[in-house]
Amino acid sequence: MTIAGQNIRIDKDRLWDSLMEMAKIGPGIAGGNNRQTLTDEDAEGRALFQTWCEAAGMTMGVDTMGNMFATRAGEDPDALPVYMGSHLDTQPTGGKYDGVLGVLGALETVRTMNDLGIKTKHPIVVVNWTNEEGTRFAPAMLASGVFAGRHTQDWAYDRVDAEGKKFGDELKRIGWVGTEEVGARKMHAMLELHIEQGPILEAENIDIGVVTHGQGLRWIECTVTGKESHTGSTPMPMRKNAGRGLARITELVHEIAMKHQPNAVGAIGHVDVYPNSRNIIPGKVVFTIDFRSHLPEVIDAMLEEFYEKAPKLCEEIEVSLETEVVGQFEPPAFDTALLDNIRAAADELGYSKMDIVSGAGHDACWVNDLCPTAMIMCPCVDGLSHNEAEEISPEWAGAGTDVLLHAVLETAQIVE
């Protein structure tokens, strides 16, 4: 028995209710969410997710990085599981859907299977990856990176937030250190549903984005050092203003990214100015550059130009520049067979579709090292994400989850 030709759909109202219920935990100040990783709010969201999974008949496992794995048994005890999911943590001023749709859409897929009495050869696992956002503990996709062997657990445990608190200590504090060895699980495949976080699908009036590639990225932490001095009494020619170094490099990053269009981007997103006083010329500025492209040669070219020009721009104004790569991954290409399943599901259900490249990093990008992986995207209003005003419609969420359901069932193999 296959799902081909069957008009099986999820309960989009139940999915939407779950999204709104989760959004009550860690509310933001402008309609979104502040449920940063390893906070009390994160712990509360995890507990609710576990309650829902157990009510759906799944068993919960947690590894030593806090990754949560809810398993629906398959009919073949030797078959490897099909995974689906994303993350529940948010940005400090995040939306209600980034990551959360992928987790709760996966849960709704299992609920629909239960409603219809569908059995599969392969077990199905709904996963919540820890610290995908990387906003509190850099880098992003930290726990899936450890799972995939990109980082060591000891290194991850020693990551610190802005207050100097360690990842390992905070994971223990909120009570979500599991007993499973991280990375020990074997996977048949993984699918991740996510909002686009970009404007293309909405602008083209397309229901489903079939994600063929992810973008590679480099995060470069820069420290520009000058000399603190009084803004009123220091003559202009004698200043060593670290803030000017930031300004020059900001414009350089923009110019470099514009030279490598299309699908190349670059910006400075995080800035710390010292001593950050209104009447003191900055003596030090620490900031992070984010360069991205789905083509490795483009990333290399952008970095080469940056390393050639940025030090000279600083030397000209008598400030120094130090750089360190604090986050990186190569552009992943997703599994062609899974992508075909996604396209076929969209066609069978009557949803419009198009191939796209993900402009953001996702846990699927790391898991792609371990097993066949693919991503499904739904539109979001104005492409706005990492913002409390982030918005999608119940219809978009339902369409994406319908396609997830069909693609997962095709991969996990229905058993009569």
Side-chain angles (χ1 to χ4, degrees):
M1 176 182 178
T2 68
I3 197 170
Q6 298 185 49
N7 192 25
I8 297 173
R9 297 175 190 261
I10 59 99
D11 184 336
K12 67 177 175 49
D13 293 330
R14 181 171 57 190
L15 170 61
W16 196 255
D17 288 345
S18 297
L19 289 166
M20 295 303 103
E21 193 66 25
M22 183 62 73
K24 294 178 182 178
I25 300 174
I29 59 175
N33 278 109
N34 181 6
R35 196 170 53 247
Q36 295 180 65
T37 195
L38 308 191
T39 59
D40 293 343
E41 292 79 12
D42 183 24
E44 186 178 350
R46 288 166 172 266
L48 178 59
F49 172 60
Q50 179 170 0
T51 297
W52 284 341
C53 289
E54 291 174 347
M58 291 185 281
T59 56
M60 182 64 70
V62 182
D63 69 18
T64 51
M65 282 296 292
N67 297 315
M68 301 174 67
F69 304 99
T71 301
R72 184 183 196 264
E75 296 300 294
D76 183 347
D78 297 323
L80 293 178
V82 175
Y83 284 67
M84 55 179 172
S86 192
H87 62 96
L88 292 174
D89 67 312
T90 76
Q91 293 282 330
T93 53
K96 299 188 287 286
Y97 312 102
D98 176 357
V100 185
L101 174 63
V103 177
L104 299 187
L107 172 62
E108 174 55 34
T109 294
V110 170
R111 286 170 167 170
T112 299
M113 293 169 61
N114 291 344
D115 292 345
L116 299 175
I118 295 174
K119 297 179 181 180
T120 58
K121 173 184 175 181
H122 293 262
I124 291 177
V125 177
V126 178
V127 57
N128 169 38
W129 299 105
T130 301
N131 190 34
E132 190 274 351
E133 292 290 2
T135 184
R136 185 179 177 201
F137 299 99
M141 299 102 71
L142 180 63
S144 59
V146 175
F147 187 93
R150 293 285 186 131
H151 315 301
T152 67
Q153 180 171 284
D154 288 344
W155 182 83
Y157 273 18
D158 284 340
R159 298 303 89 200
V160 296
D161 67 6
E163 297 178 354
K165 296 177 180 178
K166 289 187 175 182
F167 177 97
D169 293 340
E170 287 295 275
L171 182 61
K172 181 178 180 180
R173 181 189 68 80
I174 68 167
W176 281 94
V177 181
T179 58
E180 290 188 17
E181 177 187 354
V182 63
R185 287 173 168 260
K186 304 303 179 185
M187 312 169 84
H188 178 64
M190 179 181 161
L191 293 99
E192 180 171 1
L193 170 65
H194 208 281
I195 66 172
E196 183 191 358
Q197 300 180 277
I200 297 171
L201 295 177
E202 184 190 27
E204 298 291 334
N205 195 28
I206 298 292
D207 302 314
I208 300 297
V210 183
V211 185
T212 61
H213 296 77
Q215 281 191 324
L217 68 77
R218 297 292 186 276
W219 285 354
I220 308 169
E221 185 175 272
C222 300
T223 301
V224 175
T225 304
K227 184 176 181 179
E228 295 175 17
S229 57
H230 197 291
T231 57
S233 58
T234 306
M236 296 298 291
M238 300 178 66
R239 299 180 179 214
K240 298 182 178 180
N241 184 350
R244 286 187 70 198
L246 167 64
R248 285 182 154 215
I249 291 175
T250 299
E251 187 61 25
L252 173 64
V253 168
H254 181 80
E255 291 174 358
I256 290 172
M258 290 299 293
K259 284 182 183 178
H260 292 89
Q261 295 304 297
N263 294 323
V265 295
I268 292 170
H270 180 95
V271 179
D272 290 313
V273 179
Y274 301 92
N276 203 25
S277 174
R278 61 176 52 88
N279 62 346
I280 299 178
I281 296 166
K284 182 172 75 171
V285 182
V286 181
F287 54 93
T288 303
I289 298 169
D290 188 336
F291 280 127
R292 304 189 187 207
S293 172
H294 72 292
L295 299 174
E297 61 271 22
V298 171
I299 295 178
D300 291 342
M302 289 195 292
L303 290 175
E304 182 179 354
E305 184 172 355
F306 169 77
Y307 286 127
E308 176 190 352
K309 294 182 176 179
K312 295 177 183 178
L313 291 175
C314 290
E315 288 172 9
E316 290 171 358
I317 59 173
E318 298 185 82
V319 296
S320 65
L321 172 66
E322 296 179 4
T323 64
E324 178 186 3
V325 176
V326 294
Q328 65 178 16
F329 62 83
E330 300 308 313
F334 292 120
D335 184 75
T336 55
L338 289 179
L339 295 174
D340 285 342
N341 286 347
I342 293 167
R343 295 185 185 102
D347 289 341
E348 290 167 1
L349 294 164
Y351 294 129
S352 57
K353 67 183 189 304
M354 68 179 293
D355 289 356
I356 61 172
V357 172
S358 173
H362 301 282
D363 294 304
C365 297
W366 287 150
V367 178
N368 195 53
D369 291 348
L370 305 176
C371 68
T373 305
M375 291 191 68
I376 302 162
M377 287 188 169
C378 77
C380 61
V381 175
D382 294 331
L384 191 63
S385 180
H386 288 190
N387 187 307
E388 292 201 59
E390 172 186 284
E391 192 58 68
I392 65 175
S393 72
E395 289 71 28
W396 290 343
T401 308
D402 283 340
V403 171
L404 175 67
L405 169 65
H406 281 243
V408 164
L409 289 179
E410 190 66 30
T411 306
Q413 300 177 33
I414 293 177
V415 176
E416 290 193 58

